[in-house]
Amino acid sequence: MACFIVPVSEAIVTVIAEKIVKKREDRTEIKECDGKIPFSKKLKVLNKMLWGGSGLLAFEHVWHGEVTPWFPFLTNAANPADLAEMLHEMATVGTTMALLVTAVWGVLMFAIEKIRIRETDGKREEETVA
């Protein structure tokens, strides 16, 4: 129905956050040092994950006729009884999807950081031996 609206909303917020973080990083001249990834680039990955998943889900809803090109755009928004069901789906399914995508992104960023630290430590050991 409209569960894709929740991840889209999160994506809009993270796009704005990415722009703000990017400006701060540029102002303080934070660059990639020792292979460390700036937070703005990490947020960009989250944005792409959210927009991609939301886009596919929105397409699926259009395909099944749940989203229409005329007002009120969402078929369940026309009937007050269906509106409650739609809001419940947004609160349960939409929120779960947004949290799951964010959790996967967090695990991905954690794994990347651990790999970066392991590689950095390995290079330092090689330099010490040489």
Side-chain angles (χ1 to χ4, degrees):
M1 288 181 242
C3 54
F4 66 92
I5 292 174
V6 178
V8 165
S9 301
E10 182 183 357
I12 290 169
V13 170
T14 57
V15 164
I16 294 167
E18 178 198 346
K19 301 296 181 196
I20 292 169
V21 169
K22 178 79 172 139
K23 283 183 183 179
R24 286 189 181 156
E25 289 173 349
D26 289 343
R27 195 172 342 123
T28 57
E29 298 179 6
I30 295 176
K31 305 292 180 203
E32 290 185 37
C33 56
D34 289 331
K36 189 167 184 172
I37 302 169
F39 191 64
S40 62
K41 286 191 177 184
K42 292 177 182 180
L43 277 176
K44 192 172 205 166
V45 172
L46 177 59
N47 291 335
K48 288 180 181 181
M49 290 172 69
L50 287 167
W51 284 116
S54 299
L56 286 172
L57 196 57
F59 175 75
E60 186 268 334
H61 284 305
V62 169
W63 187 267
H64 288 104
E66 296 169 350
V67 178
T68 58
W70 55 83
F71 188 79
F73 307 112
L74 301 169
T75 54
N76 286 350
N79 184 353
D82 292 338
L83 183 63
E85 182 183 345
M86 181 184 74
L87 292 174
H88 181 264
E89 181 180 327
M90 287 172 62
T92 55
V93 178
T95 303
T96 303
M97 289 187 317
L99 290 174
L100 182 63
V101 169
T102 305
V104 167
W105 170 79
V107 169
L108 179 67
M109 292 301 115
F110 179 78
I112 288 171
E113 187 65 19
K114 287 295 181 186
I115 292 169
R116 184 192 68 78
I117 290 171
R118 185 179 309 150
E119 287 178 357
T120 304
D121 289 345
K123 288 179 184 176
R124 287 186 185 145
E125 287 178 11
E126 289 175 8
E127 291 173 359
T128 306
V129 173

